[in-house]
Amino acid sequence: MSGLLLEVIRGAVHSGELLFSLHAIEEMGDEGISFQEISEAVHSSETEVIESRLEDPRGESHLLFGRTGQGRPWHMVCGRVHQRVKLVTTYRPDFHPERWTLDFRARRRDR
């Protein structure tokens, strides 16, 4: 499932059909994340789905981990809206290290 999901997200980024929430645009500005970095991270071989929320009342969503071309860690939450991929939020987990394990792939349980 996660391999197919990644290909769908990569296709949306590559074709320019990725939808952006207002929150995602605000986070990109606040944390200095460019569309180029999103594209680099999504297409990185290191990118993986690290969480899926299939039963969320707001709709299915997935948290991805990857690294930008400069090696910066990156998270992206995607969902589906009318059969299109929507970027719900994106952020740099290294700006919030208290929330994540050292490799930024899992939430810390001791918070």
Side-chain angles (χ1 to χ4, degrees):
M1 156 92 167
S2 65
L4 177 60
L5 175 65
L6 278 175
E7 289 309 309
V8 169
I9 294 168
R10 286 174 175 148
V13 170
H14 182 74
S15 68
E17 294 185 10
L18 180 67
L19 301 174
F20 291 80
S21 72
L22 178 59
H23 179 69
I25 293 167
E26 290 170 347
E27 286 294 307
M28 289 171 69
D30 291 348
E31 299 197 12
I33 300 169
S34 69
F35 180 78
Q36 178 65 34
E37 288 179 298
I38 290 172
S39 182
E40 291 168 358
V42 165
H43 289 92
S44 166
S45 62
E46 192 175 355
T47 299
E48 63 181 305
V49 177
I50 59 173
E51 286 182 11
S52 289
R53 294 186 178 180
L54 305 178
E55 305 300 324
D56 191 318
R58 297 170 293 183
E60 179 179 313
S61 66
H62 307 275
L63 174 62
L64 282 67
F65 166 83
R67 291 196 182 272
T68 66
Q70 296 81 27
R72 297 185 332 183
W74 157 92
H75 281 174
M76 172 176 165
V77 177
C78 288
R80 302 274 286 187
V81 175
H82 305 293
Q83 302 304 315
R84 293 184 64 191
V85 178
K86 182 175 186 175
L87 177 62
V88 177
T89 191
T90 186
Y91 56 90
R92 292 191 41 198
D94 57 329
F95 284 10
H96 314 280
E98 72 283 357
R99 298 179 186 174
W100 303 98
T101 57
L102 291 177
D103 67 359
F104 304 111
R105 286 181 167 88
R107 294 180 192 275
R108 290 179 59 132
R109 302 288 181 215
D110 60 348
R111 293 190 344 123

